[in-house]
Amino acid sequence: MKIQSPISLVCFSWLFLFAPWAHGADRIVIGNVSRTVEQLPNYAATDKGFFTQEGIQGDVVLIGSTDTLIQALIAGQINVAIVDPSAAINAVERGAALKIIGGTVPVAAYTLVTCPKYKSIKDLKGTTIGTVSLVSGSTIFLREMLKAEGLELNRDYTIIQNGPTGQRLASLKTCSTATMLLGGDLPRSRELGFLEIARLSDYIPNLQFHSLIVDGRWAEANSQLTVRYLKAMVRAMQWAHANREQAAELVSKRTGIPLKSTRATVDEYLTQGIISRDGSVNREGFQRLIDLMGERLFKSRPYPAPEKYLDMSYLRRAQQELGIGAGR
């Protein structure tokens, strides 16, 4: 699959040539869509030394589209993508050798936000809704929420790909659109005067969200490195749960969100299990995602089980080496 994106091979080549190398460390290039509270485990793995302790140099690249992020993973330009698994499921169904080897956010915490003239989902009839990607998990969730209120895509509203959070918030100023935001972005949205009209959890609870996605062939060829990477990530998750104030400070430093906002969001995320403790995948929530995608993606029922897309063997090894039991 070719990358249809302004992010070129030249950019990635520059990254590989000139980024500093930690002496003796194995390098893993990690792709994210944007800087969010949900990336807390990744921040902690880097800043608190868990990657270093596992002999890893973890370099992060930001790619502002879920689709392009997965394309970069398939092309070998990154080694791990931390994003919702919907695009990976789509890619596997087109023949990609991707595997989900763990998860950092087992519950999707989205809120539908718009300008104050719209008071409910039904008021969005005739509008355009901006999304980070036309096929991302947030877009799938959005369609289901609106469908529950009687609104059908292309009949009652349209969807456009409108980039990462900052761009979508800017577009709300025209008051002709709405968008889905994660919890960490809500304080900024409120400061701008936007209204929260629906929470995903009220419509579709318990959906697997950010997952650790790799090319299965890369993981097999680098099995020990994959296990060490997962050990660093699990240790980072455990650190976050044990050090909430420091975790909030770290998120504030990495995202630019004021500490007063990150403190409340991080506390909520950790208390409610929105940030994983052990890297496990929410299998029930993963199956629910497959079922939501099923009508458009698969020809007939029964839809595949999560095991088609998961490989938890590396995480089990990491958990065993850390002396902890698996969660979900």
Side-chain angles (χ1 to χ4, degrees), residues 112-239:
L112 183 58
V113 174
T114 188
C115 67
K117 80 174 185 179
Y118 303 111
K119 306 300 183 185
S120 70
I121 285 181
K122 291 183 184 297
D123 293 338
L124 295 177
K125 188 171 183 177
T127 65
T128 297
I129 302 178
T131 64
V132 68
S133 160
L134 298 180
V135 295
S136 68
S138 61
T139 305
I140 295 166
F141 309 153
L142 169 71
R143 289 199 303 262
E144 292 300 317
M145 292 168 67
L146 271 62
K147 184 178 179 180
E149 297 292 345
L151 273 62
E152 293 288 344
L153 178 62
N154 297 326
R155 185 192 73 188
D156 301 308
Y157 67 96
T158 57
I159 290 176
I160 59 170
Q161 185 166 324
N162 213 7
T165 303
Q167 291 177 216
R168 285 182 281 121
L169 280 174
S171 72
L172 290 185
K173 294 177 182 178
T174 66
C175 215
S176 61
T177 187
T179 195
M180 295 277 273
L181 294 182
L182 291 165
D185 298 312
L186 292 178
R188 182 169 31 155
S189 173
R190 291 165 188 156
E191 288 178 1
L192 293 170
F194 300 128
L195 186 68
E196 297 154 35
I197 61 173
R199 285 183 175 269
L200 173 64
S201 59
D202 292 333
Y203 290 83
I204 319 169
N206 195 29
L207 282 161
Q208 172 66 34
F209 193 50
H210 277 185
S211 303
L212 305 173
I213 308 167
V214 299
D215 186 308
R217 297 164 300 186
W218 175 85
E220 185 176 358
N222 298 275
S223 60
Q224 289 296 331
L225 177 57
T226 302
V227 171
R228 282 158 43 209
Y229 166 76
L230 288 169
K231 286 172 65 179
M233 291 295 287
V234 171
R235 292 174 66 194
M237 295 175 216
Q238 294 184 324
W239 173 88

Side-chain angles (χ1 to χ4, degrees), residues 299-325:
K299 293 181 179 179
S300 62
R301 290 180 180 273
Y303 301 145
E307 284 69 27
K308 179 176 182 178
Y309 312 99
L310 304 178
D311 184 349
M312 296 292 101
S313 62
Y314 303 104
L315 181 63
R316 286 193 293 269
R317 287 167 56 188
Q319 291 171 336
Q320 288 171 356
E321 292 185 20
L322 291 172
I324 65 173

Side-chain angles (χ1 to χ4, degrees), residues 7 30-43 60-67 69 81-84 104-105 110 131-133 138 162-169 180-185 188 209-210 251 254-257:
I7 299 173
I30 303 155
N32 301 158
V33 172
S34 59
R35 295 181 179 90
T36 66
V37 177
E38 288 73 17
Q39 295 293 343
L40 168 58
N42 200 42
Y43 304 147
V60 175
V61 294
L62 295 178
I63 302 174
S65 161
T66 304
D67 302 341
L69 180 62
I82 305 180
V83 71
D84 85 78
T104 56
V105 182
Y110 273 108
T131 64
V132 68
S133 160
S138 61
N162 213 7
T165 303
Q167 291 177 216
R168 285 182 281 121
L169 280 174
M180 295 277 273
L181 294 182
L182 291 165
D185 298 312
R188 182 169 31 155
F209 193 50
H210 277 185
V251 170
R254 284 300 204 102
T255 63
I257 301 171

